[in-house]
Amino acid sequence: MSLSLLLVRHGETPWNRERRFQGFSDVPLNERGMRQACALARCLRARQIAAVYASDLVRARSTAETIAREHGVEVRVDARLREMNQGALEGKALEDLLRDYPGLLERWLAEPAEVRMPGGESLRCAQDRAWEVVQEIRTAFSEGTIVLVGHNLCLLAVICRAVGLDLNHFRRLRIENASITEILFSGAEAVLLRLNDTRHLEEQLREDDSR
């Protein structure tokens, strides 16, 4: 028996577009993000999905609800799936970080796992709380397909834990808005089946480019 966990990053938000730190800030999807959520739902329509989990932040919850409607299931909301808390940086852009927190970017680039954001948390903390949810899912479901909708850094941290990649090397991985990453759990083993799959967005991207 095996369990397929589909890790879905939420659709685009205005702050994604503006390259602002989001963290715990409750930023909604923009119009493009809502279309991305619909594309995800169409893509996953043929999968037999047993449950949908999501962060309680509206950008993830809205994405999850769009997927869940196709399968007649309720979204199981869990605050432990939130993005890494970026504290005082939330709402700010990179130039604000460079101006207000000299040296922080260098530390984040060198050894990001344990760097605690000012007024926030570390990536390790985010990984630990999100991994608790993954372990609970594995206990509750020994087989089938589960969708988990979350956020960039938090999901990258989960992927690292699943495949045994040092969290300081998380930048070797990349997941875009509304992407799908699939991990297959069989016993104690975890296999990364696909990473950052965005093929379902191709038609939507063509429509956006033509506007």
Side-chain angles (χ1 to χ4, degrees):
M1 294 187 296
S2 59
L3 175 69
S4 178
L5 184 61
L6 303 180
L7 300 176
V8 175
R9 185 180 173 191
H10 63 78
E12 186 182 270
T13 74
W15 284 13
N16 286 138
R17 177 72 70 173
E18 297 164 9
R19 297 185 178 277
R20 296 184 181 276
F21 301 106
Q22 293 190 109
F24 275 24
S25 297
D26 212 6
V27 186
L29 299 177
N30 60 17
E31 183 180 348
R32 181 184 177 98
M34 289 186 283
R35 291 198 300 274
Q36 289 174 334
C38 291
L40 279 164
R42 288 193 298 270
C43 169
L44 296 174
R45 186 178 290 158
R47 295 290 295 258
Q48 294 292 323
I49 293 174
V52 177
Y53 288 75
S55 156
D56 64 332
L57 297 177
V58 66
R59 58 191 184 272
R61 196 174 68 246
S62 296
T63 304
E65 288 168 351
T66 304
I67 296 169
R69 278 196 294 270
E70 293 286 343
H71 301 275
V73 299
E74 295 291 326
V75 176
R76 306 185 187 200
V77 175
D78 197 312
R80 290 174 294 174
L81 298 174
R82 286 185 175 196
E83 180 60 295
M84 184 179 80
N85 185 351
Q86 293 167 49
L89 297 179
E90 294 185 12
K92 298 183 182 298
L94 180 59
E95 54 267 28
D96 300 315
L97 182 154
L98 294 173
R99 182 189 65 242
D100 299 336
Y101 299 95
L104 179 59
L105 181 61
E106 288 77 6
R107 289 190 288 121
W108 171 248
L109 291 174
E111 291 187 290
E114 311 301 341
V115 174
R116 184 174 296 274
M117 295 301 163
E121 66 180 338
S122 69
L123 187 57
R124 181 80 66 193
C125 290
Q127 183 188 59
D128 288 344
R129 58 175 163 77
W131 189 251
E132 288 179 357
V133 181
V134 173
Q135 293 295 77
E136 289 170 14
I137 290 172
R138 294 178 66 185
T139 298
F141 299 91
S142 59
E143 59 183 345
T145 300
I146 306 298
V147 173
L148 189 157
V149 183
H151 308 265
N152 182 42
L153 293 173
C154 189
L155 290 181
L156 287 172
V158 165
I159 298 166
C160 287
R161 179 74 66 91
V163 302
L165 178 64
D166 187 323
L167 189 55
N168 283 310
H169 301 313
F170 81 92
R171 293 187 188 87
R172 293 182 180 178
L173 308 174
R174 180 177 177 177
I175 55 171
E176 299 173 27
N177 285 113
S179 63
I180 301 171
T181 294
E182 185 166 6
I183 300 175
L184 188 69
F185 292 100
S186 182
E189 298 295 320
V191 177
L192 184 62
L193 295 184
R194 53 177 167 155
L195 175 71
N196 194 36
D197 186 355
T198 57
R199 291 171 293 176
H200 51 283
L201 301 179
E202 291 174 1
E203 180 179 351
Q204 178 235 318
L205 292 174
R206 284 195 297 270
E207 290 176 357
D208 287 349
D209 289 342
S210 67
R211 291 174 180 235

